[in-house]
Amino acid sequence: MKQKNFYIIDFDSTFTQVEALDELARISLKKHPEKEAIFQKIEDYTNLAMEGKLSFGESLAQRVRLLEATEDHLKQLIKVLKKKVSASFSRNAAFFKKHADEVLIVSGGFKEFITPVVSQYHIKKENIYANTFVTTGDGKIIDYDHSNPLSEEGGKVKLMQQMNLEGDLYGIGDGYSDFQLRESGLIKKFYAFTENISRESIVKKADHVTPSFDEFLYVNNLPRAISYPKNRILCLIIGEVDPKSIEMLKKDGFSIRHKTSFEEKYVADVHMLLLADGEKITEDQLAGAVTLKTIGYLGNAKNKIDLQKCTEQGIVVFDDTKANPRNNNFIPKRMIDFMNTGTTHLSNNFPNLQLPRIEKSHRLIHIHKNVPGIMAKINTAFAYHDINIVGQFLMTNPSIGYVITDINAEYDKQLFKFLKKIEHTIKFRVLY
């Protein structure tokens, strides 16, 4: 009988982008004359505990004393936290629904604000383990329940020892208390979550560094919203590029490298290429860029990029010739949209295809030479593997055919091998 898996997930700076007590302080001390100094003290106590330089119990006690918070402040905090769920957790809500019995939120934070946030993601209330506040009759927060093991140093270890779960346990978090579970031998692997913050002292002790929840799901072959983690998609930026454009690509989760030239070591591995005006890509570099999917050019790409060669290799090119002058981020937006949905709208060299995302489906992209009979072969493959097509879009130009197919959630992975082997196929990709 297969052993059950449990996923032990931290809340602060993991499930959410922020440390909740820090945010609560900003709300409760908004009008305090010394608020900035107190904010800093609270953040310092948080970081000292996360890095293992101060006991968690001492850190928690000091932070709660400094808060001067009330139940009304908590209501405001919950509204903030619901908007601050980490992007990779948010887009994988379906995973939590499907694995509701195996997902546990284990945090040194407080149930009063954790439960309303994670419950939106189908996480069961009985699977939420956290501290609780002590309040006065008029709603002032004055203390916390010191009998809760999570209020103590090594609290997560003590709690998991008490629970004695049978199965393989995987821990995901950003701090020392999460690593302690691995150190104690209670969990099989510890994944240092770095989407929001990367603590060097924790990263170097982790079994695996996961820059997103997509990465965790990918390496464990679990259901996920996107087929390939964005943190594994290399976006190379060459030359003087507006920092806002770089930030936009970084915020979407891609792995960014900003260089002054197209170094040889990146040619074979780059997936996205953003070039400043005046930069060029040679024929040899283009030929060697076997994983390259899109090029963005901040200017006119004519005579700087071999557009015909890009088309033959299945590389979508965007440049500023079709941009609205008022849109400063036209190119990165087009690149992101293409990588996320397959949309080629306003590209230089591909058939113009703009399409909505269809829920509860997998999106497959097939790029091929524009010769007769390809669509028949593609749909024969779907029929042979008993695949239900929920949406299909095809556009062609004289050189290529570009087809996007949305299929239902169930499929045989042999289908992908079949589609890749169809004669005249240039590129095949699973989007999500």
Side-chain angles (χ1 to χ4, degrees):
M1 185 176 175
K2 189 178 179 182
Q3 212 167 19
K4 194 172 185 178
N5 291 337
F6 290 96
Y7 308 103
I8 316 301
I9 302 174
D10 184 35
F11 183 75
D12 294 288
S13 294
T14 299
F15 198 93
T16 56
Q17 302 166 26
V18 294
E19 291 288 328
L21 287 186
D22 294 352
E23 295 301 307
L24 181 57
R26 297 188 189 285
I27 293 168
S28 64
L29 299 169
K30 189 175 181 180
K31 297 180 180 178
H32 197 289
E34 298 177 24
K35 62 181 179 181
E36 293 302 329
I38 300 174
F39 291 161
Q40 191 58 55
K41 283 183 182 178
I42 290 173
E43 287 182 14
D44 289 346
Y45 284 128
T46 297
N47 288 323
L48 286 169
M50 290 298 102
E51 293 165 8
K53 297 175 182 176
L54 181 70
S55 76
F56 181 79
E58 180 60 23
S59 168
L60 185 62
Q62 293 289 357
R63 284 181 286 164
V64 171
R65 287 189 195 108
L66 290 167
L67 282 173
E68 297 183 17
T70 66
E71 290 177 344
D72 284 339
H73 293 140
L74 281 177
K75 291 176 183 177
Q76 295 175 52
L77 173 66
I78 291 164
K79 289 180 180 178
V80 171
L81 295 179
K82 284 182 176 181
K83 296 176 182 177
K84 293 285 187 179
V85 173
S86 297
S88 62
F89 279 96
S90 182
R91 66 174 160 260
N92 284 290
F95 170 82
F96 297 111
K97 187 174 184 179
K98 187 174 182 179
H99 294 270
D101 291 331
E102 298 106 75
V103 173
L104 280 66
I105 300 294
V106 180
S107 171
F110 290 81
K111 279 190 177 184
E112 287 86 349
F113 55 72
I114 294 175
T115 301
V117 175
V118 303
S119 294
Q120 300 177 113
Y121 292 85
H122 313 286
I123 294 170
K124 295 182 175 181
K125 291 183 179 179
E126 59 266 33
N127 285 358
I128 301 168
Y129 297 88
N131 285 298
T132 53
F133 286 119
V134 174
T135 58
T136 60
D138 58 355
K140 289 181 181 178
I141 295 170
I142 55 170
D143 205 351
Y144 58 90
D145 179 6
H146 291 257
S147 67
N148 188 325
L150 288 168
S151 70
E152 305 168 17
E153 174 61 23
K156 291 187 179 182
V157 172
K158 293 173 186 175
L159 174 71
M160 299 312 295
Q161 286 173 334
Q162 291 173 12
M163 293 178 69
N164 195 27
L165 295 170
E166 292 185 8
D168 288 332
L169 278 61
Y170 299 87
I172 309 164
D174 66 290
Y176 182 69
S177 63
D178 304 298
F179 166 70
Q180 284 179 316
L181 288 171
R182 181 69 172 92
E183 194 176 37
S184 69
L186 287 167
I187 62 175
K188 187 172 182 178
K189 284 187 178 181
F190 166 57
Y191 294 80
F193 188 80
T194 60
E195 184 171 326
N196 305 306
I197 187 169
S198 180
R199 306 180 198 277
E200 187 179 350
S201 61
I202 306 305
V203 164
K204 66 183 181 184
K205 296 175 181 177
D207 294 297
H208 189 91
V209 177
T210 178
S212 68
F213 192 53
D214 305 298
E215 170 75 8
F216 172 80
L217 297 175
Y218 178 79
V219 297
N220 288 290
N221 197 27
L222 291 165
R224 53 196 178 272
I226 55 178
S227 62
Y228 194 68
K230 290 186 181 181
N231 56 272
R232 290 180 175 233
I233 296 175
L234 174 59
C235 179
L236 187 61
I237 299 169
I238 307 296
E240 293 185 19
V241 173
D242 185 345
K244 290 180 181 177
S245 295
I246 300 172
E247 185 58 32
M248 183 179 292
L249 290 159
K250 187 180 293 183
K251 189 175 180 181
D252 208 65
F254 302 111
S255 177
I256 305 296
R257 300 288 187 280
H258 189 188
K259 301 292 179 179
T260 55
S261 63
F262 194 176
E263 298 172 22
E264 187 63 31
K265 65 179 179 179
Y266 293 114
V267 171
D269 300 317
V270 64
H271 299 86
M272 304 167 68
L273 185 62
L274 179 60
L275 299 170
D277 194 9
E279 299 292 337
K280 294 183 179 181
I281 179 169
T282 68
E283 193 174 320
D284 287 344
Q285 288 171 331
L286 202 54
V290 292
T291 64
L292 186 58
K293 295 171 177 60
T294 182
I295 297 174
Y297 195 87
L298 297 171
N300 189 335
K302 189 177 180 181
N303 301 324
K304 303 293 195 320
I305 300 172
D306 187 337
L307 293 175
Q308 183 59 38
K309 181 70 174 175
C310 287
T311 305
E312 291 170 1
Q313 290 189 205
I315 300 167
V316 181
V317 178
F318 300 96
D319 74 5
D320 275 332
T321 57
K322 297 183 181 181
N324 184 325
R326 292 174 293 180
N327 187 349
N328 296 328
N329 295 306
F330 173 82
I331 299 300
K333 282 180 179 176
R334 295 277 66 77
M335 294 173 72
I336 290 168
D337 207 18
F338 169 71
M339 293 301 292
N340 290 345
T341 69
T343 295
T344 56
H345 181 55
L346 297 178
S347 75
N348 289 58
N349 63 327
F350 257 56
N352 192 339
L353 189 53
Q354 189 173 17
L355 65 164
R357 183 184 180 107
I358 296 178
E359 296 300 321
K360 298 181 180 178
S361 68
H362 293 278
R363 177 160 288 179
L364 315 180
I365 290 183
H366 192 277
I367 305 169
H368 53 267
K369 292 180 181 178
N370 188 7
V371 296
I374 300 291
M375 279 305 299
K377 292 178 181 178
I378 289 172
N379 287 330
T380 296
F382 290 131
Y384 179 81
H385 289 87
D386 295 319
I387 300 297
N388 180 40
I389 296 175
V390 295
Q392 193 169 55
F393 309 82
L394 169 68
M395 291 291 288
T396 63
N397 66 20
S399 302
I400 62 167
Y402 183 67
V403 60
I404 293 182
T405 306
D406 289 327
I407 64 174
N408 64 351
E410 300 301 323
Y411 61 85
D412 180 351
K413 289 187 178 179
Q414 290 300 313
L415 167 70
F416 300 159
K417 293 181 181 179
F418 197 108
L419 290 169
K420 289 177 182 178
K421 289 180 180 179
I422 291 175
E423 190 179 5
H424 303 301
T425 295
I426 297 172
K427 269 192 173 81
F428 171 77
R429 182 161 70 110
V430 183
L431 271 186
Y432 51 77

